[in-house]
Amino acid sequence: MTKAQSQRSANAAEAAFRAAVSAEFPEGAAVWDDAVSRRNFLRLMGASLALAGLAGCGRSAPPAEIVPAVKDSSETQAGRPTYFSSTMPFNGYGRGVLVVSREGRPVKIEGNPDHPASLGATDVFMQASLLDLYDPDRSKSATEAGVSRPLSNLNTEISARLSRLPDGNGLRLLTRNVTSPTVTAQLKQILRRFPRAKWHVHDPVADAAPALAEPVDAVYDLTGASVIVSLDSDFLFAEPGSLRFARQFSDARRVRRDKAQMNRLYVAESTMTMTGSAADHRIPMDPFGIVELVWALASEVGVALHDITSDSPLAAPPTSSEPARRWATLIAEDLRRAGSGNSILMPGLWQPPSVHELAHAINCKLGNVGRTVYFIDPVAAQGAASFAELVADLRAGAVDTLLILDGNPAYDAPADSGFAHALTEMTNKTSGGNYASLTLHLGTHSNETAFACRWHVPMAHWLESWGDARAFDGTASLTQPLIAPLYDGVTIAEFLDGVLGHPPRGGFAILRDYWKQQVTGDFDAWWLKTLQDGVVADSASKPRAMPELKLLPPTSAAPASGHIAIFRPDPTIWTGEFANNPWLQELPKPFTKLTWDNAIGIGIGLARSLGANGEMLKDGDGIRITIDGRTLEGPAILLPGQAENTVLLSLGYGRDQGGSLLIENGKPRGYNANILRSTAHRGSAAISVIEGTGKKTTLATAQNHHAMAIEPGVPGIEPFLKPDVVAKLGMSVDALSLSNRKLIRTVTLQQFQADSRFMDKLAPDEKPPLLSLFRELPRAAELQWGMVIDTTTCIGCNACVIACQAENNIPVVGKSEVINQREMHWIRIDDYFDGPVENPSVYHQPVPCMHCEDAPCEIVCPVGATTHSPEGLNEMTYNRCVGTRFCSNNCPYKVRRFNFLLYSDYQKDSRSLQYNPDVSVRNRGVMEKCTYCVQRIDRTRVQMQRDVVQLRELAAAANTDAERQQLTKLAEQRGKQVVDGLETACQQSCPTRAIIFGNIADPQAEVSKAKAEPANYTLLRNLTTKPRTSYLARVTNPNPAWSGPNPGEGHSA
Amino acid sequence: MTSSPSMPAGVLGPGITPEKILDKVAGLVLHRPMNLLWLAALAMAAGGGAVLTLSIGYLFYEGTGVWGINQPVGWGFAISNYVFWVAIAMGGTFISSGLLLARQHWRTSINRFAETMTLLAALNAGLYPALHLGSPWVFYYLFPYPNSMALWPQFRSPLIWDVVAIGLYLSVSVSLWYVGLIPDFAMLRDRATDRRRKLIFGFFALGWRGSSRHWKRYQVTYLLLAGLTVPVVFSVHSVTAADFATTLLPWWHETILPPYFIAGAIFSGVAMAVLLAIPMRAVYGLHDYITEAHLNAAGKLILTGGLIVTYTYIAEVWASWYGGDLYEWFQTRSYFAGPYAWCWWVAVVCNGIVPQLLWFPRVRRNSLLMWLICSDILIGMWTERFMILVPVLQKGHLPSVWGFYVPTWIDWSTFIGTIGFFAFGFLLFLRYLPMLSSSELMELSHVTDAGRHLPTEFSPDHAG
Amino acid sequence: MPDESSIFCLAAEFCSPEEILRAAQQARAAGYLRTEAFTPFPIKGLPEAIGFDKTWIPFACLAGGCIGAVAAWFMCWYANVISYTWIVGNRPLNSWPAFITIIVDGMIGGAFFTALAAMFLLNGLPRLNHPMFNLDAFSRATQDRFFLCIQSNDLQFDPVVTRSFLITLAPAAVHEVPT
């Protein structure tokens, strides 16, 4: 590159940077942003941003044309929500969303039904990432060595360095997993412009992906599969395609009177996952057991390995242990019975390549490839240099300029890589009083990596960004901003554009220019349509041929000590990027109900062996784990179904930079499991020493009981209630007689098919009809709201809990208040366990308000603050409540929540900008609870009335009688369909559609049909509260050929 | 000294004449020098009152979250102490009204301070429901008052019954107490030497001059008021019980609760009266007025109450087993062996077993033993109130929402504060008001030493 | 010969209940109708002896009770059925069993305070000044002395005759009480 060129590029780069941060309105005024919303917006933002530390520079609508989803009228009116389709990047992969905007603020995130990775559903991360936008701890200005500096300094330095580097030698880019076509293209350009520059990728999750001989992504279609075998794959929750898989999976399990068919799920896993809890047969195994199982399965199915690989001689299968072989025979038999192409083997992300290859081989043998499984070229951008290489070069001092774009490698890189140390060293290297090199971090928070770098530049939240991403199946979709960057953040694309030295232009132009080149034909029409739909039409990757498989030798046998650490992302704060998100911190983790902390999950056996002087380890007792000389301490928590000799270490905690919530009493919250991970073993590692420390900590669990026995005294139940709980209850488990409470009911598919009256057998005492001592009031209205929750399809993913929290402005109470048993979630998920603690069946039971017909809470309220609506809603009148808490005492379901203190932050915290304007924020001393989203009911009602009026007007203005009559009829019809598009927040978010809500007075409504199902039952019917919320019994489909206690043998508890 | 059948011997000491009574009663109020012991006690009590005030201030500033209450356990100390104090109050009213109707002459010398005890305990009790509100600043929503919202209280709620009953009970107790004081005020007015006291007592005496027409109307009315107060006692505590009995919770959802509560109330109330009477007569030398006969009779009352309470314990356990309700029986078992099992056993020992000592007359007539037993009963009854409330709420129907309740220091300080407030009021009463009813005593003494006729107030033919 | 109009009554002072009871009976036998007795504590038979045997306070009490009960029930009924109706626990609007305690309390309250009010009303209390208080010796009427008075508006009243009559009753003293 000539001097002139480099000079030009340098100037360009500088200009670009200045532009990127100072750009206020690069493009024309946004069409949708009318005066009303802008005024509101400025006022609201002014209120909080002043507090958030930003001088009241008025933020306004996004600086470019953003296009509402077709689902709603395109002009925004104050008081009415507008929906915009966008894309949330998660682990790099795109998930389509519909963002609800109120008066210029994004206030809620829904799934985009048109997006293949969402299908209208959301998970906890999509729901909660909205709150990160308003996080007061986001970094607000560029800093050099921790001091706020004008970006012009950075611009000059970068341009200087770029001009100095021959062919960009010493320029390094470090990104997370990249699927964005635009960014991918930009990276390619940069590598072309600076041939000796290097691009590296580090991603705490995606890095675990097995390196097959030939890089491919496997995509699954569960619709046709009657037998599903998960090899440690948490495909219902933790995979990029989970929401889609969950929908397909549950659709095939939704048992009804007229459709008594369902698929069968085998799960072999080391620690209890959502997928494992949904299994018909769950096989707890340590990672080595899983390897054994898949080999045994291969030989059972008769995979002649040369069928699929050119390699020979074959690696010899390991000698499988007895259980592995037994299961293999059983499953293989079932797979064969399923027939060709009707089954799936799904290898888990954290499994070694050999498992993946064998699974694919078996799939191929069973004729699944092309039917339920197909392969595509990797969605993530390829061609990155390895992370290890970067660390090596750092050590060697071969790096001059390191640009870390998003991510937090200094925290989540495997400890043995020594990245953090190398980075710090490089940052602090000086020559002649100046910094020798440049390290820069671009991110939304000033996290550990920003701390280790010299420069930190605020990154725009995805809700502030123009961008694009590809879903797990390759489908591309666009991200459009709902709001101008609150803190002058720039996107990765804008940053790279600057590096490329383009003249200053916003992300909008970058994105448009990229896609202009991709699209043929009328681009503007395409652009409008794509923004509306949120999906680039038929952009999904085309299936490709079966990859070449080199059968790698199986992983070695189990280590001497026999204990294995399993590393998994935390089910609520993932790998730490959500660690400053109060919703997710307070979200009870599945199975343990732990909040605000991570604990070391151990099985009952380990608890026994680690316990001092014959006592077994209790929740909160300290454990010390040593791996290769690196030690970690943390509180233990008992995990039912944890594979023997395995220990669960969850990632994401133990951080110390980038948010007030990360710190607890001056120390990092929780332990940092990354210090035990190594590049070689990301998913699991052999433990050298594990011992109890004798320390005790109080864990904030939202439920202190941990289990429910189906039949008192069943062997294996005894240790089931956690010892401290038993101590608290002070009596033996059978004394608790939990079984007869009939809260959970479950039958096998066989029983369901055989006998439609099985429910009578499950709860014989419920046969007599309920009597009332008084003459009940007639149902006044023709609309009668009711809900059914299908426990067969509920996977306990918590999406409903966060969706409800976001919709209803539910406050977060903090760790100490959770310990005081004062959490506020309106819908909670009760986890019940049944069977031997080593491998129990798990039952998830979401419990919102039951909206009882004869509500016990209403009768005891002295001031009539809780009353019944003619439509059957049990309503709270907040400003009438005096807070006697009598209603809560008298609620058998304990679904009422009380503001013991002032939990809601009114305008104190910029997070309050997220508040849903349709729902009042509750004051101290007020009772609250689930309302069936009454604000949504009323909005649909208003919409209906508006439509009816319009139709009538049209009818009045019609020319011909025919028209008039037709329009009048239409008006009448519309008037009847109040419930059109009415969904409660929990129902809308549910990936498995387990929650059904609607008008039970209409026999044709889905909810009425569900209530007519034989499996329908209500909680505590004998109390004659007559709940409007009812449940469908859990139907399981165990393999009849399987001997031994069936997980879901017809019983209730 | 003769005695009629309805008149146990020794209700008054030998040779008690109207003159002696006047000197005693008036002397205690008019001529007693300021006493250091009393001052010290008053200071301590005032300290307790201060603690109460501070606790309440903190509570109102922070919110009910400063208490130990939580999601399953919505009611804690506030309500159990409320029940405890109401029960004490009941006892006093029972002594003053119930015994009057039952023509128990021995009540005469203790009814005055028993009523005072009632008054103060009822004030404490009335305090708690206001404190336990989450939004105390709108407490008036609980009253049926005309308002722009056109809203009424929800009359189906036992809490509203509570508000009405407690309100009525307070006003009734105050009225009865004051009406009883009027003749004594007149007497003090006429005996007082200095103008200031003459004016004050004269004002409160309302111009009473002992006209026999007045006396007759006075007695008729007093009898009527007493007769009406007894049902109030029963209704108030039945309503308190209804707060629990009308719910769905196992061990609360029971018809036995009202009689159970009432028996407990008389039990603990009379115990409290004796607890106060014994030191009082020692300090003020009232042995001629509060005699062994009183202790003996009170002992019998307490024993009876204790037997009824014990019966209800047994009856509840039996019913929960015989009823075969899963949740009831589960609750019973957690009473025997649950986290708060000690409450149950303390209650059984203190209220069921120890009072059996009262079968022995020697025990009943021994003031030290009586005092100890009464303290034991008060501890037992306080524990019982806690036992009725907390364990039931801790473990409801759904195991998933079981919780645990531990009172915080602010819970405790509030309770201790109420005790201080009670003591403070009582000490002021002892100093500035006649602690015995002189007119009733004079009448009684006149009857006892003349023995010609029954004291008029007890004869229905006169009450026509 | 003092002026009758300046005299409120002649008061005979006795030392024991028995004496005043006898004296009152004799005075009535002698035809004195406007008499009054003042005693520190109630004495059986004395009111009858001065010709006072009936009071209608109990009936006032009964009436008050009835009114109180009806009023309480009306409040509950009006509030729930007429004034502001809402659905509570699916119960009937006029769920009278739930109102019973309030009705009972209303009844008791009504009866109680009616009786109280009637007593004060009929006794003419509070009245802080009264001719009897003009008599210094009267201060013992609330302690250990018993007074029988014959009022000057009695038909048979004559300052001299009545005084001599009173003396025949052997009182401790006879006082003339000015108005």
Side-chain angles (χ1 to χ4, degrees), chain A residues 774-777 853-855 858-859 864 867-870, chain C residues 84-95 97-98:
Chain A
F774 47 85
R775 219 169 42 260
E776 296 189 356
L777 301 169
E853 304 257 4
D854 302 359
E858 294 171 1
I859 305 153
T867 53
H868 227 68
S869 87
Chain C
Y84 200 136
T85 61
W86 56 45
I87 312 172
V88 168
N90 216 359
R91 302 294 194 271
L93 291 178
N94 180 23
S95 34

Side-chain angles (χ1 to χ4, degrees), chain A residues 572-728:
Chain A
T572 62
I573 68 162
W574 204 238
T575 56
E577 57 259 64
F578 296 108
N580 205 48
N581 187 310
W583 286 350
L584 290 173
Q585 280 284 11
E586 193 156 301
L587 181 63
K589 304 181 198 300
F591 316 117
T592 63
K593 298 299 167 194
L594 181 64
T595 66
W596 289 101
D597 222 334
N598 64 344
I600 300 175
I602 57 173
I604 192 84
L606 198 52
R608 287 218 188 79
S609 57
L610 287 182
N613 50 49
E615 289 224 344
M616 71 187 268
L617 230 52
K618 296 187 178 71
D619 283 4
D621 291 359
I623 294 185
R624 185 184 300 107
I625 295 176
T626 311
I627 296 178
D628 310 343
R630 302 187 299 272
T631 61
L632 171 151
E633 277 189 24
I637 194 159
L638 267 76
L639 270 180
Q642 181 76 6
E644 219 176 326
N645 298 340
T646 63
V647 172
L648 175 68
L649 296 171
S650 53
L651 309 172
Y653 280 90
R655 291 185 49 192
D656 55 6
Q657 292 288 332
S660 46
L661 299 186
L662 307 181
I663 306 301
E664 181 186 11
N665 312 331
K667 292 196 298 298
R669 186 184 293 283
Y671 62 80
N672 176 5
N674 292 302
I675 64 174
L676 292 188
R677 295 173 82 199
S678 60
T679 323
H681 311 286
R682 285 199 170 83
S684 62
I687 295 175
S688 7
V689 186
I690 177 166
E691 60 206 338
T693 61
K695 286 210 200 87
K696 292 209 182 300
T697 30
T698 315
L699 296 173
T701 49
Q703 285 177 13
N704 68 0
H705 87 101
H706 205 292
M708 178 176 60
I710 295 299
E711 291 155 45
V714 166
I717 294 297
E718 189 54 42
F720 210 131
L721 276 182
K722 303 200 302 184
D724 49 341
V725 179
V726 175
K728 261 191 193 164

Side-chain angles (χ1 to χ4, degrees), chain A residues 677-1000:
Chain A
R677 295 173 82 199
S678 60
T679 323
H681 311 286
R682 285 199 170 83
S684 62
I687 295 175
S688 7
V689 186
I690 177 166
E691 60 206 338
T693 61
K695 286 210 200 87
K696 292 209 182 300
T697 30
T698 315
L699 296 173
T701 49
Q703 285 177 13
N704 68 0
H705 87 101
H706 205 292
M708 178 176 60
I710 295 299
E711 291 155 45
V714 166
I717 294 297
E718 189 54 42
F720 210 131
L721 276 182
K722 303 200 302 184
D724 49 341
V725 179
V726 175
K728 261 191 193 164
L729 303 177
M731 66 192 81
S732 73
V733 177
D734 67 324
L736 300 172
S737 60
L738 297 164
S739 62
N740 312 327
R741 299 187 183 223
K742 311 250 189 306
L743 306 175
I744 291 284
R745 303 181 188 179
T746 164
V747 289
T748 63
L749 186 61
Q750 289 80 354
Q751 288 167 313
F752 187 96
Q753 291 160 330
D755 172 9
S756 67
R757 305 180 53 75
F758 59 88
M759 201 57 93
D760 300 347
K761 294 203 187 68
L762 292 187
D765 55 330
E766 294 195 354
K767 292 191 96 171
L770 299 173
L771 301 174
S772 277
L773 286 173
F774 47 85
R775 219 169 42 260
E776 296 189 356
L777 301 169
R779 284 180 182 175
E782 65 213 25
L783 286 167
Q784 293 296 330
W785 305 113
M787 183 179 275
V788 176
I789 299 177
D790 186 348
T791 53
T792 308
T793 49
C794 176
I795 58 174
C797 71
N798 273 333
C800 49
V801 180
I802 296 282
C804 176
Q805 191 157 24
E807 171 76 14
N808 293 301
N809 304 339
I810 297 172
V812 171
V813 298
K815 183 175 181 177
S816 57
E817 284 298 273
V818 173
I819 292 174
N820 292 344
Q821 308 157 60
R822 292 170 180 176
E823 63 273 4
M824 296 296 282
H825 297 125
W826 283 4
I827 181 172
R828 63 171 194 267
I829 296 184
D830 292 351
D831 287 345
Y832 291 109
F833 300 84
D834 162 32
V837 64
E838 291 76 12
N839 184 22
S841 334
V842 186
Y843 303 93
H844 303 293
Q845 185 174 56
V847 185
C849 175
M850 296 287 135
H851 290 271
C852 310
E853 304 257 4
D854 302 359
C857 49
E858 294 171 1
I859 305 153
V860 297
C861 176
V863 292
T866 178
T867 53
H868 227 68
S869 87
E871 299 184 349
L873 297 182
N874 169 246
E875 295 173 331
M876 268 304 299
T877 313
Y878 301 126
N879 50 12
R880 178 68 177 171
C881 178
V882 296
T884 66
R885 301 178 297 284
F886 202 171
C887 50
S888 170
N889 287 352
N890 204 22
C891 172
Y893 313 96
K894 290 284 179 282
V895 294
R896 292 180 155 259
R897 297 286 176 260
F898 187 66
N899 293 272
F900 289 92
L901 301 166
L902 184 58
Y903 292 138
S904 311
D905 43 8
Y906 284 86
Q907 288 298 329
K908 281 196 240 80
D909 183 336
S910 62
R911 286 193 188 96
S912 55
L913 284 171
Q914 175 275 333
Y915 281 154
N916 177 355
D918 290 343
V919 178
S920 46
V921 176
R922 278 79 60 187
N923 195 350
R924 165 190 134 193
V926 170
M927 190 63 71
E928 59 183 71
K929 63 161 198 64
C930 159
T931 63
Y932 272 170
C933 285
V934 64
Q935 69 277 11
R936 290 183 173 216
I937 294 176
D938 290 341
R939 194 190 303 137
T940 44
R941 197 196 310 278
V942 171
Q943 182 64 47
M944 176 272 286
Q945 284 153 351
R946 187 189 283 114
D947 295 354
V948 170
V949 170
Q950 283 175 353
L951 285 165
R952 292 234 179 83
E953 284 166 352
L954 286 173
N959 307 328
T960 71
D961 287 357
E963 263 186 56
R964 189 172 296 105
Q965 284 158 4
Q966 196 187 2
L967 285 162
T968 330
K969 197 180 305 105
L970 279 175
E972 283 165 11
Q973 286 169 355
R974 183 68 185 88
K976 291 196 182 66
Q977 306 160 326
V978 180
V979 294
D980 263 7
L982 172 57
E983 282 180 319
T984 62
C986 49
Q987 174 187 23
Q988 187 172 22
S989 66
C990 182
T992 62
R993 294 237 158 274
I995 300 176
I996 309 160
F997 172 81
N999 175 14
I1000 60 173

Side-chain angles (χ1 to χ4, degrees), chain A residues 142-156:
Chain A
T143 58
E144 182 178 18
V147 187
S148 188
R149 287 281 160 79
L151 267 158
S152 49
N153 300 14
L154 177 60
N155 304 341
T156 30

Side-chain angles (χ1 to χ4, degrees), chain A residues 139 143 145-146 174-176 202 204 387 390 394 402-413 419-428 438-457 575-576 655-659 662 672 674:
Chain A
S139 51
T143 58
L174 176 59
T175 68
R176 299 189 61 173
H202 167 71
F387 183 64
L390 172 64
L394 281 176
L402 174 59
L403 308 176
I404 302 172
L405 308 179
D406 196 10
N408 192 4
Y411 160 76
D412 57 25
F419 172 81
H421 181 253
L423 177 62
T424 323
E425 289 221 317
M426 170 182 171
T427 304
N428 299 336
L438 167 64
T439 54
L440 174 142
H441 174 257
L442 174 71
T444 54
H445 289 74
S446 174
N447 57 20
E448 290 80 354
T449 311
F451 189 69
C453 292
R454 176 147 62 91
W455 272 93
H456 169 69
V457 179
T575 56
R655 291 185 49 192
D656 55 6
Q657 292 288 332
L662 307 181
N672 176 5
N674 292 302

